[in-house]
Amino acid sequence: MDAEAQQTERDRSSHPAVSEEISDTQGAEGRSRFALVSQAADRVPGGRISLTVLFCLFSLLLLTRFVIQPFEIPSGSMEPALRIGDRVLVNKLAYRFGAEPRRGDVVVFDGTGYFGDADYIKRVVGVGGDHVVCCDRQGRIEVNGRLVDESTFLYPGDEPSEVPFEVVVPGGTLFVLGDHRGNSSDSRDHLGSPGGGMIPVGDVIGRADWVAWPLGHWTGIERAGGYARVPAAAGRPAPGTGEAAAEGTAERKSADGVHG
């Protein structure tokens, strides 16, 4: 019995030693981290305040580089949803994990070599393989045989297009239009240019999801519901080059590039 009691007592006394060892180790690690931060702060003019500011700036740089980037709207080509001077936040992860732009999305893209040496913001009307026609007898756009109701976002008084056109969107590209059709330079104006007015999906910077400024205009940017019932381009191949026919001209008065 005495041996058992002594063994039990030794077992009990061993646990606090282990806990104390773990505690000392954790404390050493914490002191080491604290010492590194203190050393870094000592080497930076302004100490901890400057170090905190630098950390925040670095985090903001990573955020705008890979996640969300603000752009300023310089023209009225996307009115009434987006006004001159609005700042929009573009989701740069929207199409980075297998997802692709969908009809009705508002996207920002690099127009170099297609539209001009700038970034642009437009609404996606057709994706790869789509057959887009304008206009029917009521002046409406048709995508893959389905008429699209654009009344919820089209600029009041604008026609879907004053320029008749019929295109087949090549695979891996987008056909884009501004919401203010009478004041937008978009895919219609570049049908005869290199690329046929189509935007490569790879040149899309991201999806515009929010209007962040001015504060009184803060709102989310929704995908246009008029395209929800458009069927896929079944049975129609996505050609390597677009088939496009356009008649007439339309005057475009604005510079559409957005400022990042």
Side-chain angles (χ1 to χ4, degrees):
M1 294 296 293
D2 293 341
E4 291 179 359
Q6 291 175 359
Q7 182 66 35
T8 302
E9 186 174 351
R10 284 197 299 271
D11 291 342
R12 290 175 179 174
S13 64
S14 65
H15 294 295
V18 174
S19 300
E20 184 177 351
E21 181 181 352
I22 295 173
S23 177
D24 289 343
T25 302
Q26 292 174 342
E29 291 176 353
R31 287 192 296 272
S32 177
R33 296 191 195 102
F34 183 80
L36 290 175
V37 172
S38 297
Q39 291 174 8
D42 291 340
R43 296 177 181 178
V44 176
R48 290 182 177 274
I49 295 177
S50 297
L51 195 63
T52 301
V53 171
L54 289 174
F55 176 78
C56 292
L57 289 176
F58 180 71
S59 299
L60 181 61
L61 178 64
L62 290 178
L63 183 69
T64 57
R65 177 66 179 85
F66 298 106
V67 183
I68 296 176
Q69 184 174 351
F71 287 87
E72 181 181 358
I73 305 299
S75 77
S77 68
M78 285 297 292
E79 291 178 336
L82 304 178
R83 305 174 300 193
I84 296 175
D86 281 354
R87 270 74 165 181
V88 298
L89 297 181
V90 173
N91 180 359
K92 302 180 76 171
L93 297 181
Y95 309 125
R96 291 295 181 267
F97 301 100
E100 293 190 354
R102 297 169 59 183
R103 304 178 199 92
D105 283 352
V106 176
V107 298
V108 171
F109 58 90
D110 180 3
T112 302
Y114 302 92
F115 278 41
D117 296 333
D119 297 330
Y120 294 81
I121 184 166
K122 302 293 176 187
R123 191 178 298 276
V124 177
V125 172
V127 298
D130 282 351
H131 182 209
V132 186
V133 180
C134 188
C135 299
D136 74 342
R137 294 181 180 180
Q138 285 73 43
R140 295 171 295 183
I141 282 183
E142 182 181 282
V143 182
N144 298 337
R146 172 80 66 172
L147 294 173
V148 178
D149 179 11
E150 299 183 296
S151 61
T152 58
F153 59 85
L154 204 63
Y155 188 81
D158 273 9
E159 298 292 333
S161 180
E162 296 177 0
V163 181
F165 61 83
E166 180 175 1
V167 299
V168 175
V169 184
T173 68
L174 307 171
F175 185 81
V176 297
L177 299 176
D179 289 354
H180 192 347
R181 301 288 161 79
N183 195 28
S184 174
S185 179
D186 45 43
S187 289
R188 297 168 298 167
D189 299 276
H190 300 277
L191 292 176
S193 303
M198 310 299 169
I199 302 302
V201 172
D203 287 343
V204 173
I205 296 171
R207 185 182 65 213
D209 281 350
W210 306 276
V211 178
W213 184 265
L215 294 178
H217 195 208
W218 175 277
T219 185
I221 302 174
E222 302 291 339
R223 176 180 295 118
Y227 296 92
R229 295 184 179 181
V230 172
R236 181 178 292 276
T241 57
E243 303 170 11
E247 299 178 0
T249 59
E251 186 177 344
R252 314 293 177 216
K253 299 181 180 179
S254 65
D256 289 336
V258 292
H259 306 309

